[in-house]
Amino acid sequence: MATLQSKSAASHTSRWFLAMAAGFLLAGVAHGQTKNSCLECHSILTDNLGVTEEKFSQDIHAQKGLTCASCHGGDATSDDPEVAMGKKAGFKGKITRAQIPQLCGSCHSDPAVMRKYNPSLRTDQLSQYHTSIHGKRLATGDTKVAVCVDCHSVHDIRPPNDPRSTVYPLNVPATCSRCHSDAERMKAYKIPTNQFAEYKKSVHHQALTVRGDLSAPTCVTCHGNHGATPPGSSSVAAVCSTCHVFQAQLFDSSPHKSAFASAGLPGCVTCHSNHGIQHPTDAMIGTDDKSVCGQCHTEGDPGFVAANSIREHLAQLAAAIDRSDQILSKAERSGMEVSQARLDLVQTRDTLTKARVTIHSVNVARVQQDIQPGLVAADKNYEAGKDALKERNYRRYGLGLSLIAIALVITGLRMYLKQIESGQDSQTT
Amino acid sequence: MGFFRKLHDWLDDRFGWNELLAPLRKKTVPVHRLSHWYFLGGITLFLFVIQVLTGILLLLYYRPGANEAFESVQYIMTRVKFGWLIRSIHSWSANLMVFTAFAHMFSVAFLKSYRKPRELTWLSGMILLFLVLGFGFSGYLLPWNTLAFFATKVGTEITGQVPIVGRPLMIFLRGGEEVTGATLTRFFGFHVAVLPGLATLLIGLHILLVQRFGISVPPKLEAEWLTKPAALREMKFFPNFALRELMAWYVALGVLGALAAIFPWDLGVKADPFVSAPAGIKPEWYFLFMFQTLKVIPSKVFFMDGEVLGVLAFGVAGAVWLLLPFIDTGRARRWVNALAVVALAYIIGMTIYGHFAK
Amino acid sequence: MEALLGSGLFLSAAAFFYPVLRFLVPPKEADMGSGSVIAAKTGDLKPNSGKIFRFGSRPGLLVRTTDGEYKAMSATCTHLACTVQYRDDTREVWCACHNGKYDVNGRNISGPPPRPLETFEVQVRGDEIFVRRRQES
């Protein structure tokens, strides 16, 4: 292990040296061949015109050898502003918002160009953007909508796997919310601005930030990134089912599928909501106030009966698991080894999870099929707990007997000592 | 004539039993208000025997090795009939033995039983105490659980702080740079072969010396009895004292059984060298006072590393304590008792502090 | 008094020897050693199928590939610890909970799983398939 560590440490440092050497070399070449007069002024300028060398050096494009002129045109070798930013040098000046997608796309949509830098990068961003609500509105002349730089930032664009990037999974929700939580900005579009606030309460946000699960869905997972569009009621289920496969399959096979469709209800989110999606509880099913079934089903219809029945089954298994858990905890507290039973209980819990998935079929018989083995397993766990407690009592019983034997010996010895010592005393006196 | 008498006579005819016991019959134990402390050595011996017996039993199922140790202990605890009892007794008895050994040492120190001609008895006893701590340290790792793994890591790390010899010593103990399966193999070897061999030899020597010089009487009482021989009170070692000792052993056995049955020793979680150490990791209680001291010492004291200073200080203190019989002469005499009180108070205080410190 | 002492000694000896003797009798469930478990018999698995087996305190997945080769790995998904399964239609290891996919070498190839599955060593001895943890170097 030790040698492994030192080896990797060694290779790490040597890689560092290589990277640094390469950096110096590149910098030297860049300085030697192409001088950048842009930064001489723009690094001192403030506000929109200011770009420091430090900032631009963070940009993936700068690191790949692109310069200011690559986007803005002009001649960076000239010290004369008239020449450097002259028409002759092809200077484009500030790129207007309406022009930005086309400009970025001039490279990013060209596989031949992209292959030189990153052959695995997709080249469909621009065409996707044209299909997005942002792209469509931009086409109608609305320049307030998001263009490339609004999400990817500008002059310090980092690749999406860089944790400092604005489009790194952890940063995506905040990036989108910069506009979408701005009530003033969204007023014209008549769309709500509470999505980010809701999302922050959701189980997905929890998974993303607390557990650091980068695969947890952010805004773009459901809405798309370059092709961002509000999903219509038919596409919602398709989005959710990329991860929640079984739930989707069961739902599709259930009578809800056609019922929801004819009522114009958008699948999953009808019960689970969308941005503020919570960890579901058993209380969601049933017919009381907290449940969702009661929103459509009323007393007497078959769905009402089924909802209550499913709820009861889930509660029954949950209670059985709870009972087993309690007796095992009791055994543990008295020092018994029940790791095996604990392990089995985890598997029993899995059957409950499975049943909770099966409820999406809204079929009582199918749910029962999952509950039944769970109940049997929970009973077994309970028996294991009972056995452990029996074993504990057996130990205490054995201990009691041994202590009696020990007490007998001690009293016997005391009496014996008294006897011989009284004899000895009488001898000495 | 009862059954025991008959058995006794039968054995006597074949062994010369009475003759063998003759020196023991002559041996006496002084009786005074502090005589109770004389039982501690015997109880420690009894616990050692328990350790040997349960240790041999555990060896039937235990397998050393990073991949197997934890599982085999788990097997003993769950599958083997009364495995939980044997292992719990082994663990509890180990802890009690450390405690009684310490108590025995301090009782000897306070009663000043190490005085001439018993210096070697003290020395052998001190070495035995170090061996007992070695038993505790090496045995603690054997179940290969997380706590033991990190305690060993920290413990051997501290050994590494000793100037000059520390690092080679640490590498020797660990069987490499890190605590790995190799360390476990080593510790197993120490625990079941090296230490028991040494301990048995030293216990033999220790008991032989006790037999040779008889049982010490505190100096004040000794002087009193010298001037007034009529005040001298003692009891026969055999059977009076021996039977009382036997009673003490039975009490110890009962305590052990109760502890094992009501508080079976925890198994913990299997050690994983690649997870980070759990917060608030602490060694076993008998190392706690040293551990806590090292934690309290600032990282730099003058020009020295705090850890190194602490380790050196303990080395010096240990050496002084080891040589107590040779120091306790002439003018130093007055200070020795105070020293013992301070040492005891320090150990108790630091152990309690260490227990409650975060 | 002698009766008292005698019965006490006898009982305490019994209390001492009974556990020891029971301890000496080897238990029925033989200890295989953690390293190794018998995951299946050679006849159990057709090519292109998989089976869950107990590996220590966790489930393991034994897969027989279309070539007839045996592969073993942890069956605990690295995403949220669901138990994975082998799918003969896609020839992949699949986690039903969030549609995570691994190849038969345990590499995570799609979906949420952040890490590959731990793989185990497989040995066929006679008609028994032994699986054990890879030895650390």
Side-chain angles (χ1 to χ4, degrees):
Chain A
M1 199 174 81
T3 50
L4 251 177
Q5 264 179 358
S6 61
K7 214 195 239 169
S8 79
S11 74
H12 195 78
T13 38
S14 66
R15 228 181 296 150
W16 248 104
F17 274 118
L18 269 178
M20 272 167 64
F24 283 129
L25 210 66
L26 274 181
V29 169
H31 272 282
Q33 286 181 346
T34 49
K35 138 192 168 95
N36 192 340
S37 63
C38 312
L39 283 169
E40 277 164 28
C41 294
H42 283 276
S43 61
I44 311 166
L45 286 168
T46 51
D47 298 330
N48 292 338
L49 287 173
V51 181
T52 60
E53 183 165 6
E54 192 193 351
K55 183 178 183 185
F56 188 54
S57 68
Q58 299 289 318
D59 196 300
I60 180 72
H61 300 101
Q63 286 162 13
K64 295 276 182 191
L66 271 65
T67 63
C68 310
S70 310
C71 292
H72 295 282
D75 180 4
T77 57
S78 168
D79 281 329
D80 182 356
E82 297 290 325
V83 178
M85 299 196 283
K87 278 232 164 67
K88 239 169 136 188
F91 183 64
K92 297 180 203 160
K94 181 176 164 60
I95 317 293
T96 65
R97 292 180 64 80
Q99 291 167 334
I100 287 174
Q102 277 313 326
L103 179 71
C104 296
S106 64
C107 291
H108 278 275
S109 297
D110 186 345
V113 176
M114 292 314 293
R115 200 174 295 135
K116 281 188 275 182
Y117 298 100
N118 184 351
S120 66
L121 205 64
R122 298 167 60 153
T123 51
D124 59 353
Q125 296 94 337
L126 184 60
S127 55
Q128 281 209 12
Y129 179 74
H130 287 319
T131 69
S132 77
I133 192 78
H134 295 140
K136 282 182 188 157
R137 285 197 165 272
L138 188 72
T140 63
D142 179 358
T143 56
K144 275 169 75 186
V145 295
V147 295
C148 312
V149 298
D150 291 305
C151 300
H152 288 278
S153 82
V154 65
H155 297 139
D156 59 349
I157 303 175
R158 296 181 168 97
N161 56 8
D162 182 331
R164 295 167 299 173
S165 162
T166 47
V167 291
Y168 185 69
L170 280 173
N171 304 332
V172 164
T175 298
C176 297
S177 76
R178 280 218 316 271
C179 296
H180 281 276
S181 293
D182 183 346
E184 196 57 39
R185 199 182 179 109
M186 289 298 133
K187 216 178 192 172
Y189 305 107
K190 298 191 177 67
I191 55 174
T193 50
N194 64 345
Q195 301 95 331
F196 185 48
E198 284 287 307
Y199 176 72
K200 269 185 173 166
K201 291 187 256 171
S202 76
V203 64
H204 290 141
H205 181 260
Q206 180 103 2
L208 182 72
T209 54
V210 177
R211 229 180 35 237
D213 182 351
L214 295 185
S215 67
T218 62
C219 315
V220 298
T221 319
C222 299
H223 294 282
N225 38 27
H226 301 107
T229 318
S233 62
S234 60
S235 60
V236 172
V239 166
C240 303
S241 70
T242 51
C243 290
H244 301 276
V245 193
F246 270 133
Q247 288 87 336
Q249 277 173 5
L250 290 162
F251 178 80
D252 284 349
S253 68
S254 78
H256 274 166
K257 169 87 171 168
S258 56
F260 276 38
S262 59
L265 292 170
C268 314
V269 302
T270 312
C271 301
H272 292 281
S273 89
N274 44 17
H275 299 109
I277 199 160
Q278 293 293 314
H279 198 282
T281 62
D282 289 348
M284 282 174 69
I285 196 155
T287 51
D288 54 358
D289 295 346
K290 282 182 191 156
S291 70
V292 290
C293 308
Q295 291 170 4
C296 298
H297 292 288
T298 50
E299 183 113 40
D301 74 30
F304 192 87
V305 179
N308 276 331
S309 171
I310 290 174
R311 168 75 174 274
E312 261 167 43
H313 280 117
L314 289 179
Q316 197 188 354
L317 182 54
I321 289 174
D322 216 37
R323 192 173 75 128
S324 308
D325 184 47
Q326 273 171 13
I327 195 166
L328 288 178
S329 302
K330 193 175 167 193
E332 261 169 356
R333 276 199 302 277
S334 39
M336 305 304 298
E337 236 286 333
V338 286
S339 58
Q340 183 60 49
R342 275 266 175 239
L343 197 76
D344 294 341
L345 188 64
V346 170
Q347 282 173 2
T348 311
R349 278 216 176 84
D350 283 351
T351 64
L352 179 58
T353 309
K354 189 158 176 256
R356 282 173 176 155
V357 172
T358 312
I359 63 166
H360 293 95
S361 69
V362 294
N363 183 327
V364 181
R366 284 184 79 168
V367 174
Q368 218 169 352
Q369 251 173 40
D370 286 338
I371 294 280
Q372 216 45 50
L375 284 175
V376 173
D379 267 351
K380 246 190 214 154
N381 302 145
Y382 185 74
E383 285 305 314
K386 251 169 70 179
D387 285 347
L389 286 185
K390 229 187 260 168
E391 166 74 13
R392 182 195 69 164
N393 292 339
Y394 171 69
R395 288 182 187 184
R396 301 208 165 155
Y397 180 67
L399 172 68
L401 276 186
S402 331
L403 287 182
I404 290 172
I406 288 169
L408 280 181
V409 173
I410 291 173
T411 17
L413 282 173
R414 271 200 81 99
M415 285 163 73
Y416 181 65
L417 270 169
K418 240 183 204 160
Q419 195 188 21
I420 56 169
E421 276 174 5
S422 68
Q424 283 164 356
D425 283 349
S426 59
Q427 271 170 22
T428 47
T429 46
Chain B
M1 207 158 82
F3 170 73
F4 290 108
R5 192 79 248 162
K6 268 190 212 155
L7 185 71
H8 181 267
D9 289 348
W10 189 88
L11 283 171
D12 188 34
D13 288 345
R14 276 134 192 104
F15 270 114
W17 189 252
N18 281 327
E19 220 168 292
L20 253 171
L21 291 179
L24 283 179
R25 280 190 197 289
K26 254 189 269 168
K27 182 178 151 78
T28 56
V29 177
V31 177
H32 48 87
R33 79 193 158 85
L34 297 169
S35 320
H36 293 295
W37 295 105
Y38 293 146
F39 291 105
L40 279 171
I43 293 176
T44 312
L45 176 66
F46 172 70
L47 291 173
F48 180 76
V49 173
I50 296 267
Q51 286 306 85
V52 172
L53 293 179
T54 50
I56 290 171
L57 288 174
L58 289 174
L59 271 179
L60 295 180
Y61 296 104
Y62 177 76
R63 285 191 309 269
N67 287 327
E68 299 196 300
F70 181 82
E71 281 78 5
S72 69
V73 176
Q74 194 172 39
Y75 182 74
I76 291 172
M77 290 291 283
T78 53
R79 297 267 180 269
V80 182
K81 289 266 177 281
F82 289 103
W84 60 272
L85 181 69
I86 305 290
R87 175 174 177 249
S88 299
I89 286 193
H90 194 75
S91 304
W92 275 114
S93 170
N95 281 275
L96 287 186
M97 183 163 92
V98 173
F99 181 78
T100 57
F102 263 105
H104 182 47
M105 179 192 76
F106 274 107
S107 75
V108 166
F110 283 118
L111 297 178
K112 295 192 178 285
S113 311
Y114 49 73
R115 297 179 334 273
K116 192 186 162 189
R118 298 188 180 84
E119 292 97 329
L120 288 178
T121 322
W122 170 266
L123 273 181
S124 61
M126 279 302 292
I127 298 171
L128 273 171
L129 181 73
F130 291 138
L131 290 183
V132 166
L133 291 179
F135 268 119
F137 189 60
S138 58
Y140 193 52
L141 180 68
L142 300 189
W144 198 246
N145 58 32
T146 307
L147 279 179
F149 178 81
F150 285 104
T152 306
K153 214 169 165 160
V154 174
T156 46
E157 196 71 55
I158 290 171
T159 317
Q161 299 293 327
V162 178
I164 308 166
V165 292
R167 229 187 123 63
L169 192 64
M170 183 187 90
I171 288 179
F172 167 73
L173 283 175
R174 287 183 174 179
E177 291 278 342
E178 285 291 326
V179 176
T180 58
T183 321
L184 182 60
T185 314
R186 257 160 210 246
F187 274 37
F188 177 69
F190 296 147
H191 192 78
V192 305
V194 180
L195 291 173
L198 286 176
T200 309
L201 275 177
L202 271 166
I203 289 173
L205 176 70
H206 194 71
I207 292 175
L208 194 73
L209 286 168
V210 172
Q211 298 311 319
R212 193 88 187 87
F213 298 113
I215 289 173
S216 152
V217 180
K220 257 190 201 162
L221 208 59
E222 199 178 28
E224 203 183 304
W225 285 356
L226 263 178
T227 51
K228 255 199 296 174
L232 187 144
R233 289 183 58 226
E234 48 191 17
M235 70 165 85
K236 283 187 171 171
F237 176 77
F238 194 88
N240 301 42
F241 186 80
L243 285 178
R244 281 192 170 80
E245 185 76 62
L246 188 64
M247 274 165 65
W249 291 4
Y250 259 90
V251 171
L253 196 63
V255 169
L256 271 183
L259 285 173
I262 299 173
F263 308 105
W265 204 261
D266 204 18
L267 182 60
V269 180
K270 184 174 178 172
D272 181 353
F274 298 108
V275 300
S276 48
I281 191 99
K282 278 175 197 169
E284 285 275 81
W285 61 271
Y286 39 87
F287 291 119
L288 207 50
F289 73 96
M290 291 193 253
F291 177 76
Q292 193 60 25
T293 307
L294 292 180
K295 249 170 82 175
V296 168
I297 296 179
S299 60
K300 275 269 178 248
V301 182
F302 301 120
F303 59 96
M304 279 184 83
D305 218 30
E307 289 250 300
V308 178
L309 186 75
V311 171
L312 281 180
F314 274 115
V316 171
V320 167
W321 196 251
L322 184 70
L323 299 174
L324 202 60
F326 306 101
I327 295 166
D328 190 7
T329 52
R331 294 180 58 189
R333 190 156 281 178
R334 261 184 297 165
W335 298 103
V336 168
N337 237 3
L339 180 75
V341 172
V342 168
L344 181 63
Y346 183 81
I347 289 178
I348 293 177
M350 267 303 183
T351 305
I352 293 172
Y353 177 38
H355 182 75
F356 288 107
K358 285 266 150 49
Chain C
M1 182 205 72
E2 267 185 25
L4 187 73
L5 197 54
S7 58
L9 283 173
F10 176 75
L11 275 178
S12 56
F16 175 73
F17 281 110
Y18 176 69
V20 170
L21 289 176
R22 293 294 300 270
F23 182 85
L24 292 175
V25 178
K28 277 201 195 83
E29 308 95 326
D31 189 2
M32 297 287 306
S34 70
S36 225
V37 296
I38 298 175
K41 295 266 166 73
T42 40
D44 290 355
L45 285 173
K46 321 188 280 291
N48 193 24
S49 67
K51 179 193 176 216
I52 297 285
F53 62 95
R54 264 191 73 101
F55 191 75
S57 55
R58 289 257 169 96
L61 175 67
L62 182 70
V63 173
R64 192 166 181 202
T65 63
T66 41
D67 313 332
E69 199 183 342
Y70 288 105
K71 306 253 184 190
M73 64 204 82
S74 154
T76 307
C77 182
T78 53
H79 178 229
L80 284 178
C82 295
T83 302
V84 298
Q85 52 187 289
Y86 180 72
R87 277 182 61 163
D88 52 5
D89 52 347
T90 57
R91 295 179 187 179
E92 283 166 347
V93 176
W94 180 61
C95 177
C97 287
H98 294 94
N99 205 18
K101 286 172 190 164
Y102 305 85
D103 66 12
V104 289
N105 293 313
R107 265 194 299 272
N108 45 332
I109 46 178
S110 109
R115 283 184 309 281
L117 297 167
E118 187 191 354
T119 56
F120 303 137
E121 235 172 71
V122 183
Q123 281 178 333
V124 182
R125 279 182 247 156
D127 64 343
E128 282 166 339
I129 302 164
F130 285 81
V131 171
R132 63 174 189 177
R133 209 171 278 277
R134 291 195 188 282
Q135 299 296 308
E136 288 159 35
S137 54

